[in-house]
């Protein structure tokens, strides 16, 4: 989850998507909730760069910006601009 060639771990999420025209937003719920150690690592990664690659069951991916929703275990995902997809600082959250 640090860059395109390194993965420090993965998170399973349940995603609910809302679309309006060409734009979309979604909310993700961590499944299961993170343990304390995992939460600390996740918070550090979020401070470094809030962009993650979301992987789906069909192996498709989308770059998203992640913001904590203020409720434990909930995240707001928005489509990231393509110019934020640089190799440094981009993290992958692989489907497990």
């Amino acid at each position: 989850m640090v860059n395109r060639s390194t993965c420090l771990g993965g998170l399973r999420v349940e995603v609910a998507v809302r679309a309006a025209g060409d734009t979309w937003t979604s909310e993700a719920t961590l499944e299961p909730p993170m343990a304390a150690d995992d939460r600390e690592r996740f918070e550090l990664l979020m401070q470094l760069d809030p962009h993650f690659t979301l992987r789906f069951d069909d192996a498709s991916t989308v770059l998203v910006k992640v913001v904590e929703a203020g409720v434990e275990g909930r995240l707001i995902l928005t489509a990231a601009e393509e110019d934020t997809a640089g190799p440094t600082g981009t993290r992958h959250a692989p489907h497990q």
Side-chain angles (χ1 to χ4, degrees):
M1 293 189 336
V2 171
N3 60 40
R4 293 180 185 276
S5 62
T6 305
C7 178
L8 297 179
L11 304 170
R12 287 190 67 78
V13 293
E14 182 176 317
V15 179
V17 178
R18 288 178 292 286
D22 291 339
T23 61
W24 62 270
T25 60
S26 66
E27 183 175 284
T29 305
L30 296 168
E31 298 289 332
M34 284 188 271
D37 290 348
D38 293 333
R39 169 141 300 281
E40 287 179 28
R41 286 189 284 269
F42 178 72
E43 288 174 0
L44 174 63
L45 291 172
M46 287 286 294
Q47 289 174 9
L48 294 172
D49 182 0
H51 294 93
F52 289 81
T53 300
L54 185 61
R55 297 187 184 275
F56 298 96
D57 290 336
D58 67 357
S60 63
T61 63
V62 63
L63 185 65
V64 294
K65 182 175 181 182
V66 178
V67 176
E68 292 193 77
V71 176
E72 182 68 28
R74 295 218 171 182
L75 307 168
I76 302 297
L77 310 177
T78 54
E81 297 296 323
E82 289 301 318
D83 62 351
T84 63
T88 303
T90 302
R91 297 187 299 269
H92 294 265
H95 173 74
Q96 295 182 9

